[in-house]
Amino acid sequence: MDTITKPKYTGKRYRLDKPELLAPAGNLEKLKFAIHYGADAVYIGGQKYGLRSNADNFSFEEMREGVEFANKYGAKVFVATNIYAHNEDIEGIEAYLKELYEAGISAIIVADPAIIEVAQRAVPGLEVHLSTQQSTINWQAVQFWKEEGLPRVVLGREASLQEIAEIKEHVDIEIEAFIHGAMCSSFSGRCVLSNHFTDRDSNRGGCCQSCRWKYDLFEDARENEVWVSEEDTRDSQILKNFELGVNQLPLYEEGDQAFTMGSKDLCMLENIPDLIDVGIDSFKIEGRMKSIHYVATVVNVYRQAIDSYMADPENYVLKPEWLEEIQKAANRPLNTGFFYDTPDHEDHIYEPEEKAVPYDFAGLVMDYDEKSQMATIQQRNYFKTGNEIEFFGPNGTFFKQKVGEIYDEAGNLLDAARHPLQMVKIKVDQPVAYFDMMRKKK
């Protein structure tokens, strides 16, 4: 793994008891995995008023089930209601928020002042957190929202550690910050490319991630210059421009890599002490539309790192295996975002991405028989005899082996586990536990 460590934060320290680890949950199953693997809280989307309209999202019935499950583990459930509402969105908000409160939701994450006002007036028992969509990055703005009655502000992703320290020095309020996941290539919440290209409003949940599309580049002719000649029209793209009356010079030749402008992903695993010492109250992981394998892996690693540092700060050591685990869930190259400096050209991706994830979620452990060393596995992706696999889990399970003989529930020998959610049995080299995961290399 390429190092992503930046210089240590050397400003004033603001220690706290223990930061909250806040995980994404795109559906009910992901919620349960996130909590099993160590999340203190999860944030979800309902079927209205959220910014991930393409995620599965939760019905009220699923919310109630999720809250009941979270309560068993001492975890909380937050709901993102973070759109910027248009006039037609206003009707129904009050009833929706009341339903969230009745479902047992601990807090809502809100950007629009109109929704904040409705929540405080109509459902005073429902805690309101300010969304990162407000791009709040200075202490006076945070003070404003505190005076408006909000107990927590989710900072804009552009806030630095120094700015966070100044906020904590001036304002006694909970601060939540993104510490892992995808970053917006523009100021968070201010991009209108999706609206322009596809009529899908980013601020109403429709972002098409147009910054990660593949683009051709052209240079306009300068005044009194003509680049397109009759000879040039032999090139198909130049001919098309010529016919349209556009005098542009293509900067790419046929076969060249296309241009993108997406940012690298944020990863602060190597900088846990700085995040804790500066006083961030909630460590937020991005990814409500990411896979179960991503959620479990990332939450599991950060849980270990946070607990290790809090148990013995003076002797804390970053473990290389944590970095290796993060890479197994990484979609893109990683960096430290805005925490230490302003990202530059080295922190963006200008060519089509090569997806980095080399592992698939192959199976979920449902049972383990110690005497026979046989594990009952619920198949999640195809695997067969001879595949190299890894087991990992929230209680420290981690080992590698090859798949030996595979049996179905009736004891019949199989050459592969082919069917989604099929229950099979395999012999394992070490003990495993319920909800441990089995992954395989792609």
Side-chain angles (χ1 to χ4, degrees):
M1 172 182 177
D2 294 336
T3 181
I4 57 172
T5 304
K6 294 290 180 75
K8 292 291 184 181
Y9 170 72
T10 57
K12 191 172 180 180
R13 306 283 174 164
Y14 296 88
R15 293 295 303 278
L16 66 167
D17 291 338
K18 195 172 190 177
E20 170 187 270
L21 182 57
L22 176 57
N27 58 35
L28 187 57
E29 185 178 38
K30 292 176 185 177
L31 179 150
K32 294 179 179 180
F33 271 89
I35 292 172
H36 261 301
Y37 277 76
D40 300 303
V42 295
Y43 63 101
I44 67 175
Q47 296 183 343
K48 293 181 178 179
Y49 309 118
L51 285 186
R52 285 293 180 266
S53 59
N54 291 328
D56 292 343
N57 294 321
F58 284 66
S59 65
F60 289 122
E61 182 180 352
E62 289 172 325
M63 287 183 192
R64 285 187 283 271
E65 184 178 344
V67 168
E68 182 180 358
F69 180 87
N71 287 342
K72 292 180 182 178
Y73 292 86
K76 297 179 180 180
V77 180
F78 307 150
V79 173
T81 52
N82 52 349
I83 68 164
Y84 282 102
H86 290 233
N87 289 328
E88 62 266 28
D89 299 318
I90 298 297
E91 185 178 355
I93 286 179
E94 183 172 324
Y96 178 78
L97 296 179
K98 287 181 177 179
E99 192 81 37
L100 294 182
Y101 182 67
E102 292 170 4
I105 297 303
S106 296
I108 55 174
I109 306 168
V110 186
D112 194 317
I115 300 178
I116 293 173
E117 188 278 330
V118 171
Q120 292 176 324
R121 171 179 52 79
V123 200
L126 183 60
E127 192 169 293
V128 179
H129 298 169
L130 186 72
S131 170
T132 190
Q133 295 300 111
Q134 272 288 346
S135 297
T136 307
I137 54 176
N138 68 76
W139 71 263
Q140 289 178 310
V142 173
Q143 180 67 37
F144 170 84
W145 290 111
K146 180 184 178 182
E147 292 171 0
E148 289 295 306
L150 275 61
R152 178 184 292 192
V153 168
V154 187
L155 294 180
R157 302 184 203 198
E158 296 76 23
S160 69
L161 275 177
Q162 185 61 49
E163 289 169 325
I164 295 171
E166 292 174 12
I167 290 169
K168 295 294 289 187
E169 182 177 6
H170 286 90
V171 189
D172 182 16
I173 193 172
E174 289 184 5
I175 292 298
E176 180 180 309
F178 281 93
I179 54 92
H180 192 93
M183 295 282 283
C184 188
S185 63
S186 75
F187 240 70
S188 299
R190 299 294 180 264
C191 178
V192 294
L193 287 179
S194 179
N195 307 52
H196 176 71
F197 287 134
T198 67
D199 199 28
R200 287 169 51 180
D201 192 340
S202 300
N203 286 321
R204 301 173 84 184
C207 180
C208 65
Q209 296 195 34
S210 45
C211 58
R212 302 194 187 278
W213 291 2
K214 299 176 182 179
Y215 293 91
D216 290 323
L217 287 182
F218 299 88
E219 184 177 358
D220 287 335
R222 290 180 286 276
E223 188 175 357
N224 299 322
E225 279 190 323
V226 176
W227 282 334
V228 178
S229 66
E230 289 186 13
E231 185 177 353
D232 289 331
T233 58
R234 289 175 296 182
D235 181 284
S236 59
Q237 183 60 59
I238 295 178
L239 176 59
K240 178 187 281 188
N241 290 344
F242 185 72
E243 291 172 346
L244 293 172
V246 178
N247 190 24
Q248 292 180 322
L249 177 68
L251 299 182
Y252 285 170
E253 296 181 0
E254 187 174 349
D256 284 351
Q257 288 278 14
F259 172 83
T260 65
M261 49 188 162
S263 62
K264 293 181 179 179
D265 283 0
L266 174 65
C267 176
M268 288 296 287
L269 179 63
E270 296 187 59
N271 309 92
I272 289 295
D274 284 354
L275 297 176
I276 293 176
D277 289 346
V278 80
I280 297 172
D281 298 277
S282 180
F283 292 1
K284 190 169 192 173
I285 298 168
E286 180 274 339
R288 276 194 286 141
M289 295 179 68
K290 299 286 179 62
S291 69
I292 291 171
H293 175 257
Y294 173 92
V295 172
T297 301
V298 174
V299 169
N300 192 34
V301 171
Y302 277 96
R303 177 80 279 152
Q304 293 178 67
I306 293 168
D307 290 350
S308 178
Y309 180 78
M310 297 303 296
D312 189 1
E314 298 301 321
N315 297 301
Y316 172 77
V317 176
L318 177 74
K319 295 183 179 180
E321 54 264 35
W322 295 341
L323 299 174
E324 292 175 8
E325 279 293 288
I326 281 292
Q327 284 294 329
K328 292 172 184 176
N331 288 292
R332 303 180 185 97
L334 305 173
N335 69 9
T336 55
F338 287 80
F339 279 104
Y340 297 99
D341 52 27
T342 301
D344 58 20
H345 65 281
E346 294 183 353
D347 296 295
H348 287 77
I349 302 168
Y350 295 114
E351 294 182 351
E353 306 167 25
E354 291 185 8
K355 295 300 182 181
V357 181
Y359 289 86
D360 277 329
F361 174 25
L364 178 65
V365 175
M366 305 303 294
D367 195 17
Y368 171 69
D369 182 76
E370 187 174 353
K371 186 176 180 179
S372 66
Q373 297 181 295
M374 297 294 287
T376 301
I377 306 292
Q378 184 186 69
Q379 190 260 34
R380 293 305 183 96
N381 271 296
Y382 173 90
F383 65 91
K384 64 181 181 178
T385 299
N387 281 157
E388 291 186 0
I389 55 172
E390 293 181 359
F391 285 95
F392 72 101
N395 297 312
T397 300
F398 184 81
F399 63 94
K400 303 177 182 181
Q401 70 169 73
K402 286 190 175 182
V403 177
E405 294 179 334
I406 305 172
Y407 299 90
D408 65 15
E409 291 183 281
N412 299 311
L413 186 64
L414 306 173
D415 65 338
R418 305 177 184 279
H419 308 296
L421 304 182
Q422 178 183 15
M423 292 292 186
V424 299
K425 295 180 183 292
I426 65 171
K427 191 170 185 178
V428 290
D429 294 347
Q430 298 180 31
V432 291
Y434 175 65
F435 245 77
D436 284 353
M437 294 178 71
M438 185 181 92
R439 63 161 76 107
K440 70 164 187 172
K441 283 190 175 183
K442 289 185 178 179

